[in-house]
mmCIF file of all heavy atoms in Angstrom:
data_model
loop_
_atom_site.group_PDB
_atom_site.id
_atom_site.type_symbol
_atom_site.label_atom_id
_atom_site.label_comp_id
_atom_site.label_asym_id
_atom_site.label_seq_id
_atom_site.Cartn_x
_atom_site.Cartn_y
_atom_site.Cartn_z
ATOM 1 N N PRO A 879 6.969 -1.394 1.346
ATOM 2 C CA PRO A 879 7.758 -1.920 2.509
ATOM 3 C C PRO A 879 6.779 -2.462 3.538
ATOM 4 O O PRO A 879 5.839 -1.824 3.951
ATOM 5 C CB PRO A 879 8.425 -0.596 3.028
ATOM 6 C CG PRO A 879 7.614 0.520 2.480
ATOM 7 C CD PRO A 879 7.048 0.056 1.138
ATOM 8 N N MET A 880 7.055 -3.675 3.956
ATOM 9 C CA MET A 880 6.161 -4.376 4.859
ATOM 10 C C MET A 880 6.810 -4.474 6.236
ATOM 11 O O MET A 880 7.965 -4.919 6.394
ATOM 12 C CB MET A 880 5.825 -5.766 4.337
ATOM 13 C CG MET A 880 5.023 -5.774 3.046
ATOM 14 S SD MET A 880 3.418 -4.979 3.204
ATOM 15 C CE MET A 880 2.651 -6.116 4.399
ATOM 16 N N VAL A 881 6.105 -4.017 7.244
ATOM 17 C CA VAL A 881 6.538 -4.077 8.627
ATOM 18 C C VAL A 881 5.492 -4.864 9.382
ATOM 19 O O VAL A 881 4.313 -4.594 9.222
ATOM 20 C CB VAL A 881 6.749 -2.709 9.232
ATOM 21 C CG1 VAL A 881 7.131 -2.808 10.694
ATOM 22 C CG2 VAL A 881 7.787 -1.911 8.453
ATOM 23 N N ALA A 882 5.908 -5.787 10.189
ATOM 24 C CA ALA A 882 4.954 -6.592 11.000
ATOM 25 C C ALA A 882 4.357 -5.692 12.092
ATOM 26 O O ALA A 882 4.986 -5.449 13.095
ATOM 27 C CB ALA A 882 5.647 -7.799 11.599
ATOM 28 N N THR A 883 3.168 -5.171 11.829
ATOM 29 C CA THR A 883 2.534 -4.210 12.752
ATOM 30 C C THR A 883 2.286 -4.896 14.119
ATOM 31 O O THR A 883 2.215 -4.183 15.147
ATOM 32 C CB THR A 883 1.233 -3.678 12.213
ATOM 33 O OG1 THR A 883 0.390 -4.761 11.799
ATOM 34 C CG2 THR A 883 1.506 -2.810 10.966
ATOM 35 N N SER A 884 2.157 -6.211 14.128
ATOM 36 C CA SER A 884 1.857 -6.898 15.420
ATOM 37 C C SER A 884 3.012 -6.817 16.376
ATOM 38 O O SER A 884 2.868 -6.952 17.606
ATOM 39 C CB SER A 884 1.522 -8.381 15.145
ATOM 40 O OG SER A 884 2.630 -9.006 14.478
ATOM 41 N N GLU A 885 4.250 -6.524 15.834
ATOM 42 C CA GLU A 885 5.393 -6.415 16.712
ATOM 43 C C GLU A 885 5.548 -4.984 17.296
ATOM 44 O O GLU A 885 6.420 -4.766 18.122
ATOM 45 C CB GLU A 885 6.678 -6.764 15.886
ATOM 46 C CG GLU A 885 6.653 -8.212 15.410
ATOM 47 C CD GLU A 885 7.888 -8.557 14.619
ATOM 48 O OE1 GLU A 885 8.743 -7.610 14.431
ATOM 49 O OE2 GLU A 885 8.022 -9.720 14.216
ATOM 50 N N ILE A 886 4.746 -4.016 16.794
ATOM 51 C CA ILE A 886 4.833 -2.646 17.354
ATOM 52 C C ILE A 886 3.938 -2.553 18.555
ATOM 53 O O ILE A 886 2.709 -2.763 18.433
ATOM 54 C CB ILE A 886 4.394 -1.664 16.264
ATOM 55 C CG1 ILE A 886 5.258 -1.798 15.002
ATOM 56 C CG2 ILE A 886 4.445 -0.231 16.808
ATOM 57 C CD1 ILE A 886 4.803 -0.944 13.834
ATOM 58 N N LYS A 887 4.510 -2.288 19.701
ATOM 59 C CA LYS A 887 3.741 -2.290 20.947
ATOM 60 C C LYS A 887 2.959 -1.007 21.152
ATOM 61 O O LYS A 887 1.836 -1.087 21.738
ATOM 62 C CB LYS A 887 4.726 -2.500 22.137
ATOM 63 C CG LYS A 887 5.404 -3.846 22.113
ATOM 64 C CD LYS A 887 6.354 -4.020 23.292
ATOM 65 C CE LYS A 887 7.017 -5.368 23.258
ATOM 66 N NZ LYS A 887 7.913 -5.576 24.452
ATOM 67 N N ASN A 888 3.427 0.076 20.670
ATOM 68 C CA ASN A 888 2.739 1.346 20.873
ATOM 69 C C ASN A 888 1.534 1.396 19.928
ATOM 70 O O ASN A 888 1.619 1.257 18.696
ATOM 71 C CB ASN A 888 3.650 2.505 20.570
ATOM 72 C CG ASN A 888 2.993 3.887 20.854
ATOM 73 O OD1 ASN A 888 2.218 4.332 20.073
ATOM 74 N ND2 ASN A 888 3.326 4.438 21.989
ATOM 75 N N LYS A 889 0.309 1.515 20.477
ATOM 76 C CA LYS A 889 -0.930 1.446 19.647
ATOM 77 C C LYS A 889 -0.967 2.552 18.627
ATOM 78 O O LYS A 889 -1.380 2.318 17.459
ATOM 79 C CB LYS A 889 -2.120 1.503 20.616
ATOM 80 C CG LYS A 889 -3.429 1.394 19.859
ATOM 81 C CD LYS A 889 -4.617 1.464 20.846
ATOM 82 C CE LYS A 889 -5.962 1.407 20.061
ATOM 83 N NZ LYS A 889 -7.081 1.487 21.003
ATOM 84 N N ALA A 890 -0.690 3.827 19.039
ATOM 85 C CA ALA A 890 -0.697 4.956 18.123
ATOM 86 C C ALA A 890 0.242 4.739 16.951
ATOM 87 O O ALA A 890 -0.124 4.993 15.752
ATOM 88 C CB ALA A 890 -0.412 6.233 18.832
ATOM 89 N N LYS A 891 1.454 4.280 17.247
ATOM 90 C CA LYS A 891 2.453 4.039 16.208
ATOM 91 C C LYS A 891 2.005 2.914 15.275
ATOM 92 O O LYS A 891 2.170 2.930 14.070
ATOM 93 C CB LYS A 891 3.775 3.750 16.813
ATOM 94 C CG LYS A 891 4.955 3.613 15.843
ATOM 95 C CD LYS A 891 5.241 4.899 15.115
ATOM 96 C CE LYS A 891 6.434 4.775 14.190
ATOM 97 N NZ LYS A 891 6.695 6.004 13.425
ATOM 98 N N ARG A 892 1.415 1.881 15.936
ATOM 99 C CA ARG A 892 0.973 0.739 15.107
ATOM 100 C C ARG A 892 -0.130 1.114 14.161
ATOM 101 O O ARG A 892 -0.083 0.693 12.973
ATOM 102 C CB ARG A 892 0.456 -0.357 16.109
ATOM 103 C CG ARG A 892 0.074 -1.662 15.427
ATOM 104 C CD ARG A 892 -0.178 -2.794 16.432
ATOM 105 N NE ARG A 892 -1.281 -2.498 17.302
ATOM 106 C CZ ARG A 892 -1.162 -2.342 18.580
ATOM 107 N NH1 ARG A 892 0.030 -2.362 19.209
ATOM 108 N NH2 ARG A 892 -2.199 -2.036 19.380
ATOM 109 N N GLU A 893 -1.085 1.919 14.573
ATOM 110 C CA GLU A 893 -2.141 2.368 13.674
ATOM 111 C C GLU A 893 -1.565 3.294 12.579
ATOM 112 O O GLU A 893 -2.045 3.228 11.422
ATOM 113 C CB GLU A 893 -3.189 3.111 14.494
ATOM 114 C CG GLU A 893 -4.016 2.171 15.407
ATOM 115 C CD GLU A 893 -5.015 2.948 16.196
ATOM 116 O OE1 GLU A 893 -5.011 4.180 16.185
ATOM 117 O OE2 GLU A 893 -5.885 2.319 16.846
ATOM 118 N N GLU A 894 -0.562 4.112 12.908
ATOM 119 C CA GLU A 894 0.034 4.988 11.934
ATOM 120 C C GLU A 894 0.728 4.181 10.830
ATOM 121 O O GLU A 894 0.560 4.459 9.650
ATOM 122 C CB GLU A 894 1.032 5.920 12.654
ATOM 123 C CG GLU A 894 1.712 6.903 11.642
ATOM 124 C CD GLU A 894 2.765 7.707 12.354
ATOM 125 O OE1 GLU A 894 2.926 7.641 13.606
ATOM 126 O OE2 GLU A 894 3.585 8.345 11.651
ATOM 127 N N VAL A 895 1.513 3.192 11.243
ATOM 128 C CA VAL A 895 2.262 2.356 10.267
ATOM 129 C C VAL A 895 1.263 1.518 9.414
ATOM 130 O O VAL A 895 1.410 1.454 8.213
ATOM 131 C CB VAL A 895 3.211 1.394 11.041
ATOM 132 C CG1 VAL A 895 3.822 0.394 10.018
ATOM 133 C CG2 VAL A 895 4.319 2.187 11.681
ATOM 134 N N TYR A 896 0.218 1.049 10.038
ATOM 135 C CA TYR A 896 -0.773 0.249 9.324
ATOM 136 C C TYR A 896 -1.457 1.107 8.214
ATOM 137 O O TYR A 896 -1.680 0.681 7.125
ATOM 138 C CB TYR A 896 -1.808 -0.344 10.301
ATOM 139 C CG TYR A 896 -2.982 -1.033 9.554
ATOM 140 C CD1 TYR A 896 -2.804 -2.287 8.988
ATOM 141 C CD2 TYR A 896 -4.196 -0.360 9.470
ATOM 142 C CE1 TYR A 896 -3.880 -2.903 8.354
ATOM 143 C CE2 TYR A 896 -5.244 -0.964 8.767
ATOM 144 C CZ TYR A 896 -5.096 -2.238 8.241
ATOM 145 O OH TYR A 896 -6.156 -2.850 7.603
ATOM 146 N N GLY A 897 -1.809 2.371 8.637
ATOM 147 C CA GLY A 897 -2.459 3.304 7.715
ATOM 148 C C GLY A 897 -1.560 3.622 6.491
ATOM 149 O O GLY A 897 -2.044 3.673 5.361
ATOM 150 N N LYS A 898 -0.308 3.850 6.756
ATOM 151 C CA LYS A 898 0.631 4.159 5.687
ATOM 152 C C LYS A 898 0.813 2.928 4.752
ATOM 153 O O LYS A 898 0.863 3.046 3.516
ATOM 154 C CB LYS A 898 2.038 4.510 6.236
ATOM 155 C CG LYS A 898 2.034 5.892 6.878
ATOM 156 C CD LYS A 898 3.448 6.244 7.435
ATOM 157 C CE LYS A 898 3.479 7.631 8.046
ATOM 158 N NZ LYS A 898 4.840 7.946 8.609
ATOM 159 N N GLN A 899 0.869 1.757 5.329
ATOM 160 C CA GLN A 899 0.979 0.504 4.454
ATOM 161 C C GLN A 899 -0.273 0.360 3.633
ATOM 162 O O GLN A 899 -0.134 -0.026 2.444
ATOM 163 C CB GLN A 899 1.214 -0.718 5.409
ATOM 164 C CG GLN A 899 2.536 -0.814 6.059
ATOM 165 C CD GLN A 899 2.720 -2.037 6.850
ATOM 166 O OE1 GLN A 899 1.752 -2.765 7.122
ATOM 167 N NE2 GLN A 899 3.926 -2.322 7.313
ATOM 168 N N LYS A 900 -1.347 0.640 4.176
ATOM 169 C CA LYS A 900 -2.628 0.491 3.403
ATOM 170 C C LYS A 900 -2.661 1.465 2.220
ATOM 171 O O LYS A 900 -3.088 1.089 1.122
ATOM 172 C CB LYS A 900 -3.834 0.751 4.306
ATOM 173 C CG LYS A 900 -5.175 0.339 3.754
ATOM 174 C CD LYS A 900 -6.239 0.461 4.782
ATOM 175 C CE LYS A 900 -7.586 0.040 4.211
ATOM 176 N NZ LYS A 900 -8.672 0.164 5.190
ATOM 177 N N LEU A 901 -2.230 2.716 2.479
ATOM 178 C CA LEU A 901 -2.231 3.680 1.379
ATOM 179 C C LEU A 901 -1.216 3.280 0.336
ATOM 180 O O LEU A 901 -1.487 3.453 -0.898
ATOM 181 C CB LEU A 901 -1.840 5.083 1.960
ATOM 182 C CG LEU A 901 -2.932 5.768 2.773
ATOM 183 C CD1 LEU A 901 -2.366 7.006 3.485
ATOM 184 C CD2 LEU A 901 -4.119 6.084 1.935
ATOM 185 N N GLU A 902 -0.074 2.797 0.745
ATOM 186 C CA GLU A 902 0.981 2.358 -0.219
ATOM 187 C C GLU A 902 0.503 1.190 -1.091
ATOM 188 O O GLU A 902 0.731 1.125 -2.277
ATOM 189 C CB GLU A 902 2.249 1.934 0.527
ATOM 190 C CG GLU A 902 3.054 3.156 1.033
ATOM 191 C CD GLU A 902 3.597 4.035 -0.095
ATOM 192 O OE1 GLU A 902 4.021 3.468 -1.164
ATOM 193 O OE2 GLU A 902 3.606 5.220 0.031
ATOM 194 N N LYS A 903 -0.236 0.267 -0.512
ATOM 195 C CA LYS A 903 -0.782 -0.884 -1.232
ATOM 196 C C LYS A 903 -1.777 -0.421 -2.277
ATOM 197 O O LYS A 903 -1.760 -0.839 -3.404
ATOM 198 C CB LYS A 903 -1.443 -1.868 -0.288
ATOM 199 C CG LYS A 903 -0.443 -2.725 0.501
ATOM 200 C CD LYS A 903 -1.257 -3.685 1.333
ATOM 201 C CE LYS A 903 -0.288 -4.597 2.160
ATOM 202 N NZ LYS A 903 -1.037 -5.553 3.051
ATOM 203 N N ALA A 904 -2.672 0.483 -1.869
ATOM 204 C CA ALA A 904 -3.650 1.010 -2.793
ATOM 205 C C ALA A 904 -2.980 1.791 -3.971
ATOM 206 O O ALA A 904 -3.399 1.682 -5.114
ATOM 207 C CB ALA A 904 -4.662 1.899 -2.072
ATOM 208 N N LYS A 905 -1.968 2.529 -3.598
ATOM 209 C CA LYS A 905 -1.214 3.327 -4.621
ATOM 210 C C LYS A 905 -0.550 2.413 -5.654
ATOM 211 O O LYS A 905 -0.566 2.645 -6.846
ATOM 212 C CB LYS A 905 -0.199 4.226 -3.901
ATOM 213 C CG LYS A 905 0.431 5.320 -4.762
ATOM 214 C CD LYS A 905 1.294 6.219 -3.923
ATOM 215 C CE LYS A 905 1.901 7.283 -4.783
ATOM 216 N NZ LYS A 905 2.751 8.144 -3.952
ATOM 217 N N ALA A 906 0.070 1.367 -5.120
ATOM 218 C CA ALA A 906 0.742 0.389 -5.988
ATOM 219 C C ALA A 906 -0.247 -0.339 -6.903
ATOM 220 O O ALA A 906 0.055 -0.620 -8.064
ATOM 221 C CB ALA A 906 1.505 -0.607 -5.156
ATOM 222 N N LYS A 907 -1.461 -0.623 -6.373
ATOM 223 C CA LYS A 907 -2.455 -1.297 -7.094
ATOM 224 C C LYS A 907 -2.925 -0.417 -8.324
ATOM 225 O O LYS A 907 -3.161 -0.889 -9.367
ATOM 226 C CB LYS A 907 -3.618 -1.655 -6.197
ATOM 227 C CG LYS A 907 -4.555 -2.638 -6.748
ATOM 228 C CD LYS A 907 -5.600 -3.129 -5.727
ATOM 229 C CE LYS A 907 -6.514 -4.158 -6.289
ATOM 230 N NZ LYS A 907 -7.527 -4.602 -5.321
ATOM 231 N N ARG A 908 -3.134 0.883 -7.959
ATOM 232 C CA ARG A 908 -3.573 1.798 -9.018
ATOM 233 C C ARG A 908 -2.534 1.954 -10.118
ATOM 234 O O ARG A 908 -2.870 1.982 -11.300
ATOM 235 C CB ARG A 908 -3.861 3.204 -8.441
ATOM 236 C CG ARG A 908 -5.194 3.256 -7.616
ATOM 237 C CD ARG A 908 -5.569 4.694 -7.336
ATOM 238 N NE ARG A 908 -4.549 5.420 -6.610
ATOM 239 C CZ ARG A 908 -4.495 5.472 -5.272
ATOM 240 N NH1 ARG A 908 -5.378 4.826 -4.531
ATOM 241 N NH2 ARG A 908 -3.543 6.213 -4.694
ATOM 242 N N GLN A 909 -1.274 2.003 -9.677
ATOM 243 C CA GLN A 909 -0.188 2.116 -10.679
ATOM 244 C C GLN A 909 -0.137 0.903 -11.552
ATOM 245 O O GLN A 909 0.108 0.984 -12.773
ATOM 246 C CB GLN A 909 1.150 2.374 -9.933
ATOM 247 C CG GLN A 909 2.315 2.648 -10.917
ATOM 248 C CD GLN A 909 2.081 3.859 -11.706
ATOM 249 O OE1 GLN A 909 1.632 4.889 -11.224
ATOM 250 N NE2 GLN A 909 2.393 3.828 -12.996
ATOM 251 N N LYS A 910 -0.319 -0.260 -10.952
ATOM 252 C CA LYS A 910 -0.270 -1.521 -11.710
ATOM 253 C C LYS A 910 -1.375 -1.540 -12.777
ATOM 254 O O LYS A 910 -1.171 -1.973 -13.931
ATOM 255 C CB LYS A 910 -0.425 -2.697 -10.721
ATOM 256 C CG LYS A 910 -0.311 -4.033 -11.467
ATOM 257 C CD LYS A 910 -0.490 -5.199 -10.453
ATOM 258 C CE LYS A 910 -0.415 -6.564 -11.123
ATOM 259 N NZ LYS A 910 -0.544 -7.645 -10.193
ATOM 260 N N ARG A 911 -2.534 -1.066 -12.400
ATOM 261 C CA ARG A 911 -3.680 -1.013 -13.379
ATOM 262 C C ARG A 911 -3.417 -0.026 -14.468
ATOM 263 O O ARG A 911 -3.749 -0.288 -15.654
ATOM 264 C CB ARG A 911 -4.973 -0.641 -12.624
ATOM 265 C CG ARG A 911 -5.548 -1.717 -11.775
ATOM 266 C CD ARG A 911 -6.817 -1.269 -11.086
ATOM 267 N NE ARG A 911 -7.400 -2.368 -10.371
ATOM 268 C CZ ARG A 911 -8.495 -2.218 -9.585
ATOM 269 N NH1 ARG A 911 -9.059 -1.030 -9.456
ATOM 270 N NH2 ARG A 911 -8.987 -3.291 -8.925
ATOM 271 N N LYS A 912 -2.777 1.109 -14.160
ATOM 272 C CA LYS A 912 -2.456 2.080 -15.207
ATOM 273 C C LYS A 912 -1.441 1.521 -16.194
ATOM 274 O O LYS A 912 -1.585 1.669 -17.382
ATOM 275 C CB LYS A 912 -1.866 3.353 -14.560
ATOM 276 C CG LYS A 912 -2.887 4.216 -13.884
ATOM 277 C CD LYS A 912 -2.246 5.480 -13.260
ATOM 278 C CE LYS A 912 -3.234 6.333 -12.526
ATOM 279 N NZ LYS A 912 -2.604 7.521 -11.898
ATOM 280 N N ASP A 913 -0.413 0.860 -15.655
ATOM 281 C CA ASP A 913 0.608 0.270 -16.531
ATOM 282 C C ASP A 913 -0.032 -0.837 -17.360
ATOM 283 O O ASP A 913 0.324 -0.965 -18.551
ATOM 284 C CB ASP A 913 1.761 -0.312 -15.674
ATOM 285 C CG ASP A 913 2.493 0.757 -14.884
ATOM 286 O OD1 ASP A 913 2.385 1.959 -15.347
ATOM 287 O OD2 ASP A 913 3.206 0.431 -13.934
ATOM 288 N N GLN A 914 -0.887 -1.605 -16.801
ATOM 289 C CA GLN A 914 -1.566 -2.671 -17.519
ATOM 290 C C GLN A 914 -2.433 -2.122 -18.651
ATOM 291 O O GLN A 914 -2.432 -2.668 -19.746
ATOM 292 C CB GLN A 914 -2.424 -3.545 -16.547
ATOM 293 C CG GLN A 914 -3.024 -4.797 -17.138
ATOM 294 C CD GLN A 914 -3.842 -5.550 -16.153
ATOM 295 O OE1 GLN A 914 -4.765 -5.011 -15.525
ATOM 296 N NE2 GLN A 914 -3.544 -6.793 -15.913
ATOM 297 N N LYS A 915 -3.146 -1.042 -18.362
ATOM 298 C CA LYS A 915 -3.985 -0.431 -19.372
ATOM 299 C C LYS A 915 -3.149 0.111 -20.563
ATOM 300 O O LYS A 915 -3.530 0.014 -21.728
ATOM 301 C CB LYS A 915 -4.781 0.714 -18.764
ATOM 302 C CG LYS A 915 -5.848 1.338 -19.708
ATOM 303 C CD LYS A 915 -6.687 2.328 -18.991
ATOM 304 C CE LYS A 915 -7.780 2.889 -19.937
ATOM 305 N NZ LYS A 915 -7.248 3.444 -21.171
ATOM 306 N N LYS A 916 -1.994 0.709 -20.228
ATOM 307 C CA LYS A 916 -1.107 1.233 -21.302
ATOM 308 C C LYS A 916 -0.694 0.098 -22.193
ATOM 309 O O LYS A 916 -0.674 0.225 -23.469
ATOM 310 C CB LYS A 916 0.096 1.904 -20.678
ATOM 311 C CG LYS A 916 -0.223 3.262 -20.099
ATOM 312 C CD LYS A 916 1.061 3.881 -19.492
ATOM 313 C CE LYS A 916 0.756 5.239 -18.844
ATOM 314 N NZ LYS A 916 1.994 5.827 -18.203
ATOM 315 N N GLU A 917 -0.293 -1.025 -21.620
ATOM 316 C CA GLU A 917 0.205 -2.173 -22.421
ATOM 317 C C GLU A 917 -0.936 -2.748 -23.278
ATOM 318 O O GLU A 917 -0.756 -3.145 -24.392
ATOM 319 C CB GLU A 917 0.794 -3.215 -21.518
ATOM 320 C CG GLU A 917 2.137 -2.817 -20.888
ATOM 321 C CD GLU A 917 2.766 -3.975 -20.171
ATOM 322 O OE1 GLU A 917 2.292 -5.092 -20.311
ATOM 323 O OE2 GLU A 917 3.768 -3.721 -19.470
ATOM 324 N N GLU A 918 -2.147 -2.833 -22.662
ATOM 325 C CA GLU A 918 -3.275 -3.412 -23.388
ATOM 326 C C GLU A 918 -3.773 -2.453 -24.493
ATOM 327 O O GLU A 918 -4.323 -2.927 -25.504
ATOM 328 C CB GLU A 918 -4.427 -3.730 -22.403
ATOM 329 C CG GLU A 918 -4.090 -4.898 -21.535
ATOM 330 C CD GLU A 918 -5.186 -5.226 -20.483
ATOM 331 O OE1 GLU A 918 -6.108 -4.373 -20.357
ATOM 332 O OE2 GLU A 918 -5.072 -6.230 -19.842
ATOM 333 N N ASP A 919 -3.638 -1.184 -24.293
ATOM 334 C CA ASP A 919 -3.984 -0.206 -25.416
ATOM 335 C C ASP A 919 -3.045 -0.422 -26.586
ATOM 336 O O ASP A 919 -3.494 -0.280 -27.716
ATOM 337 C CB ASP A 919 -3.898 1.218 -24.877
ATOM 338 C CG ASP A 919 -4.990 1.538 -23.891
ATOM 339 O OD1 ASP A 919 -6.014 0.786 -23.901
ATOM 340 O OD2 ASP A 919 -4.875 2.549 -23.151
ATOM 341 N N LYS A 920 -1.776 -0.688 -26.277
ATOM 342 C CA LYS A 920 -0.854 -0.981 -27.384
ATOM 343 C C LYS A 920 -1.119 -2.307 -28.042
ATOM 344 O O LYS A 920 -0.947 -2.466 -29.285
ATOM 345 C CB LYS A 920 0.589 -0.841 -26.838
ATOM 346 C CG LYS A 920 1.031 0.501 -26.359
ATOM 347 C CD LYS A 920 2.406 0.445 -25.777
ATOM 348 C CE LYS A 920 2.858 1.809 -25.221
ATOM 349 N NZ LYS A 920 4.194 1.753 -24.576
#
C-alpha cells in the first residue's frame, strides 16, 4: 500500500508511515525472490 508521505504534515507520523512502507517493500522483494527460486528449481 502506497501513501504519499509528502502529504502527511505531522513529521512523526510521516516517518512512521515511511518506515512501514520501506519494510513492506523489502518483505515483498524477499518473497518475490523466494517464489522465483522455487520456480527456477523446478
Side-chain angles (χ1 to χ4, degrees):
M880 294 299 295
V881 177
T883 53
S884 59
E885 296 178 0
I886 302 174
K887 295 181 179 181
N888 185 281
K889 182 179 178 182
K891 185 65 177 177
R892 185 169 63 245
E893 289 179 352
E894 181 186 350
V895 171
Y896 173 77
K898 287 181 179 179
Q899 288 182 350
K900 192 173 181 181
L901 289 173
E902 285 296 322
K903 284 182 180 180
K905 193 174 180 181
K907 194 172 183 180
R908 287 195 301 270
Q909 186 61 44
K910 183 179 178 181
R911 286 180 176 176
K912 287 180 181 179
D913 295 341
Q914 187 179 55
K915 187 176 183 303
K916 286 179 182 179
E917 291 189 9
E918 289 177 350
D919 288 342
K920 294 176 182 177

